[in-house]
Amino acid sequence: MLDPARLLLLREFAERGTMTAAGESRGMTSSAVSQQLATLEREAGVRLFERAGRRVRLTAEGERLLRHAYIVLNALDAAEEDLRSASTARGPLRVACFATAAVHRLLPAIALARTRHPDLHVILYELEPREATDTLRAGGCDLAITFTYNLIPEEPPPGVDRRLLGTEPIMIALPEGHPAVAGAA
């Protein structure tokens, strides 16, 4: 098995032209680079380097391995980037929400989230609670923000997990002199 760290040194050597320059780019001595590349040559089972005066250059087999090294190292870079970005919020995130919560709660939350996660893409559907829940169950959205009243308790439908985000008082307005207002102060 060829060691990716040694393939990286092979690439550095090819791009920079000397063991010393390759070592400087990786924080190593030229002697350490030379030893690692000699080990790579043993692992490959073919001559990768040949003398050219006081310098060393790649053989045809070394050039062939270098082409593979670029492919392998690029694939490793892509894998690392993919895993790093897996924890980054992206989207689309489809949210069904009633108008009041959208304006006062959701839109400010989206704006804040976008400063932390610029790739986040939210699609907002303005729907009343029953429609939002039905849309969620049908797969038309990823999240539904709804409301219920404690006077009319309602169990979530099967397949829906509900979490309490908060509670708010409900005010009622009545005209002066209404019997329900009498005695209230």
Side-chain angles (χ1 to χ4, degrees):
M1 175 79 67
L2 300 174
D3 183 338
R6 291 188 186 105
L7 293 176
L8 181 60
L9 285 175
L10 177 68
R11 183 184 73 186
E12 293 295 323
F13 169 77
E15 289 178 356
R16 298 177 190 284
T18 67
M19 302 278 180
T20 301
E24 287 172 358
S25 74
R26 305 304 306 165
M28 301 170 68
T29 64
S30 62
S31 175
V33 172
S34 179
Q35 289 172 11
Q36 290 297 308
L37 291 178
T39 301
L40 178 62
E41 195 170 54
R42 283 192 301 278
E43 289 172 346
V46 294
R47 284 193 57 213
L48 301 175
F49 304 94
E50 62 188 5
R51 286 240 169 258
R54 296 183 62 214
R55 298 188 128 190
V56 176
R57 68 177 176 212
L58 292 174
T59 63
E61 291 81 11
E63 293 285 346
R64 181 181 298 151
L65 181 57
L66 178 63
R67 287 191 295 276
H68 289 290
Y70 276 106
I71 294 167
V72 168
L73 294 171
N74 287 340
L76 288 173
D77 287 343
E80 287 177 353
E81 178 60 31
D82 184 49
L83 291 175
R84 273 193 300 272
S85 69
S87 63
T88 301
R90 292 181 183 275
L93 176 63
R94 302 166 303 158
V95 181
C97 185
F98 59 101
T100 306
V103 170
H104 295 288
R105 304 291 175 124
L106 185 59
L107 293 177
I110 292 170
L112 178 61
R114 298 263 340 260
T115 62
R116 295 180 186 158
H117 306 285
D119 292 335
L120 181 63
H121 176 66
V122 178
I123 301 168
L124 178 60
Y125 302 102
E126 184 184 330
L127 298 173
E128 289 302 312
R130 173 89 46 191
E131 295 170 301
T133 303
D134 291 345
T135 301
L136 178 69
R137 290 184 70 211
C141 65
D142 304 303
L143 173 71
I145 299 173
T146 66
F147 62 86
T148 62
Y149 298 104
N150 60 356
L151 295 176
I152 310 169
E154 185 178 309
E155 289 299 314
V160 173
D161 184 26
R162 187 164 57 191
R163 306 292 166 108
L164 180 65
L165 294 178
T167 59
E168 294 187 13
I170 297 176
M171 307 301 234
I172 188 165
L174 297 169
E176 253 184 70
H178 189 278
V181 179

